[in-house]
Amino acid sequence: MATDNDFGAFMEKFIIPPTPSSSSPLQGLTFAIKDIFDVEGHVTGFGNPDWLRTHSAATSTAPVVSALLAAGATSVGSTVMDEMAYSINGENAHYGTPRNPIALDRVPGGSSSGSAVAVAAGLADFSVGTDTGGSVRVPASYCGVFGIRPSHGIVTTTGVVPMAQSFDTVGWFAREPAILRRVGCVLLQLPDLNDMKPSKMIIADDCFKLSSVPPDWMIRSIVRAAEKLFGGEIVKNVNLGDYIEEKVPSLKHFMTGDVVTSREFNIPLLEALSSSMRLLQRFEFKKNHGEWIESTKPVFGPGISERVEQAMQTTFEKIDACRSATVELRSALSDLLGDDGVLIIPTMPGPPPKLQTDASQLEIFRGRAFGLLSVAGVSGFCQVSIPLGLHENLPVSVSMVAKHGSDGLLLNLVEALWKDIGPQVCL
């Protein structure tokens, strides 16, 4: 049987027994906690030993963790994460890199790396993490599990160390969509979801061209399952880049500089959206942690150090344009999807990169990745990453995105479709 030592998922192992009420929907389930949530009596480490050293033990437990305990689940410990939640790779220079159980020579994805690995390795039934720029969706995709970034602001972040509040969300992982939904019913306080169904499912054709995995293979099973459940008229298509270009004029401020137009294939509007998202993240990260960084002079690992330094140089320039883009994108996607529509995109532009891949080699991949991740990130919409199975022995996923507040619809839909999708293998 696999242990935590095999996969390095845990920062600290401890058992917190459940405190069930009369209703215990998570009775018998275990969960792991990203080392960004406060747990009474424990120091929240935020992935960095200098943070751990300079902070005291929490005097109360984050409401999300308390809610899960009250629902009957048992905590098995806190998990390793990327430093300061500032990476999507999952490699931690201080505490080691949790081992991806699905692809041992590949990164697990971050920053909620340990939480995803704990679930993928069967060390916990589910786990909680946070997603700012992709920190649940990326490791879910890389480790072959389900992961949800809920609608922004719908799950409390009290007792969670902030990264960038305009994007911070509490998400969770599970190996089965039924457990993903059960946890969602607790954290989202959802009623019975059985009667909810989508009005349309829209495939973003241009986004699938970003992927190194054959689009037909990724889309086929989703379309087949959707048409079986809801009829042939439910599936639509869109060129998302063209649609955003027309509907989000504030992105013109980000069409130079970071946006590289000479790449083999790119969607310039998604690159601009990504630039907007990452600029506002840097700005808010500096506001949250700049004073501590200046006074403590913490040691950061490769990659993190450069990102933190860049954040510390951020000014107010273009911040208003970032916020305008957020408002415009939310309105545009609301019009596209309506109340019950779902957008289908790749979670990531391909399978997980190899461990310790040179940063320069990852540039194009990361650019495409953040373009995809920024759709839900900037709009604040909810997104679930669905593991499709293996392509050339590496995990691949797709995502469904729904309107802000439609988390219940999304969770119900994923569970319903999974009965006909199931994991696929493409050699």
Side-chain angles (χ1 to χ4, degrees):
M1 172 183 269
T3 68
D4 59 299
N5 289 330
D6 295 318
F7 298 104
F10 286 97
M11 178 75 189
E12 181 181 3
K13 289 204 73 177
F14 52 78
I15 301 296
I16 306 179
T19 55
S21 58
S22 56
S23 174
S24 303
L26 303 181
Q27 186 71 41
L29 297 181
T30 58
F31 72 104
I33 307 166
K34 183 178 182 177
D35 192 28
I36 198 171
F37 292 84
D38 286 347
V39 175
E40 184 178 1
H42 298 264
V43 181
T44 308
F46 205 26
N48 179 273
D50 288 315
W51 183 278
L52 186 73
R53 174 179 58 82
T54 56
H55 288 77
S56 302
T59 57
S60 61
T61 297
V64 161
V65 175
S66 297
L68 297 171
L69 295 170
T74 298
S75 166
V76 293
S78 64
T79 59
V80 174
M81 59 175 284
D82 282 306
E83 297 179 75
M84 312 291 284
Y86 218 152
S87 177
I88 60 170
N89 262 15
E91 297 174 297
N92 189 304
H94 306 287
Y95 301 123
T97 299
R99 198 175 186 195
N100 187 333
I102 309 300
L104 298 178
D105 65 337
R106 305 285 170 141
V107 297
S111 63
S112 306
S113 53
S115 293
V117 167
V119 170
L123 307 177
D125 295 310
F126 70 93
S127 62
V128 288
T130 58
D131 189 308
T132 302
S135 291
V136 165
R137 293 164 289 168
V138 176
S141 178
Y142 287 177
C143 292
V145 296
F146 293 87
I148 180 172
R149 173 195 168 91
S151 299
H152 184 258
I154 205 167
V155 178
T156 179
T157 54
T158 300
V160 181
V161 182
M163 198 279 186
Q165 288 90 330
S166 290
F167 307 99
D168 289 346
T169 61
V170 170
W172 55 98
F173 303 89
R175 289 186 302 280
E176 304 170 14
I179 293 179
L180 197 78
R181 185 179 70 88
R182 285 170 64 186
V183 174
C185 287
V186 171
L187 295 183
L188 301 165
Q189 301 180 18
L190 293 173
D192 186 7
L193 306 176
N194 292 334
D195 293 332
M196 302 175 74
K197 63 181 182 180
S199 58
K200 52 189 171 183
M201 298 178 65
I202 304 174
I203 298 170
D205 292 329
D206 54 335
C207 291
F208 280 92
K209 292 179 183 177
L210 293 174
S211 178
S212 61
V213 179
D216 288 347
W217 181 77
M218 298 177 71
I219 297 169
R220 187 185 308 119
S221 59
I222 298 274
V223 170
R224 184 172 59 240
E227 291 180 342
K228 178 180 177 181
L229 282 175
F230 308 116
E233 298 301 315
I234 194 168
V235 178
K236 313 291 183 183
N237 299 81
V238 71
N239 184 302
L240 190 62
D242 289 350
Y243 181 81
I244 291 175
E245 182 174 15
E246 178 184 352
K247 301 290 186 178
V248 189
S250 291
L251 289 181
K252 67 179 182 293
H253 297 288
F254 302 95
M255 291 300 293
T256 59
D258 290 343
V259 176
V260 180
T261 57
S262 60
R263 291 177 178 170
E264 179 181 350
F265 183 83
N266 69 92
I267 302 175
L269 267 296
L270 290 191
E271 290 192 81
L273 192 65
S274 167
S275 294
S276 169
M277 178 181 74
R278 288 190 279 177
L279 175 59
L280 185 52
Q281 284 180 357
R282 291 194 294 267
F283 179 75
E284 293 186 345
F285 178 89
K286 178 183 177 180
K287 287 183 65 178
N288 289 326
H289 305 302
E291 184 177 336
W292 176 81
I293 291 168
E294 290 284 3
S295 61
T296 305
K297 302 293 190 296
V299 176
F300 295 117
I304 307 296
S305 177
E306 290 81 359
R307 290 185 200 106
V308 169
E309 183 178 356
Q310 188 178 25
M312 295 296 284
Q313 304 302 317
T314 304
T315 67
F316 278 100
E317 186 181 3
K318 294 187 179 181
I319 296 302
D320 287 344
C322 294
R323 292 180 171 139
S324 295
T326 296
V327 174
E328 292 166 3
L329 183 67
R330 181 177 291 197
S331 176
L333 292 183
S334 296
D335 290 344
L336 177 66
L337 298 180
D339 290 334
D340 302 313
V342 172
L343 181 69
I344 302 172
I345 61 175
T347 307
M348 293 294 283
K354 288 187 176 181
L355 290 161
Q356 299 179 336
T357 297
D358 183 77
S360 62
Q361 295 180 36
L362 289 175
E363 181 185 356
I364 292 177
F365 183 86
R366 284 174 57 85
R368 292 174 177 173
F370 279 114
L372 295 168
L373 296 165
S374 64
V375 175
V378 176
S379 67
F381 281 21
C382 49
Q383 178 176 344
V384 172
S385 180
I386 304 167
L388 283 183
L390 300 178
H391 176 261
E392 298 180 347
N393 293 319
L394 294 173
V396 175
S397 66
V398 297
S399 275
M400 295 187 184
V401 179
K403 185 178 178 181
H404 188 277
S406 294
D407 305 64
L409 165 71
L410 203 55
L411 288 167
N412 188 62
L413 176 61
V414 169
E415 184 176 9
L417 289 173
W418 187 247
K419 296 172 185 177
D420 287 303
I421 297 172
Q424 311 289 315
V425 177
C426 182
L427 300 178

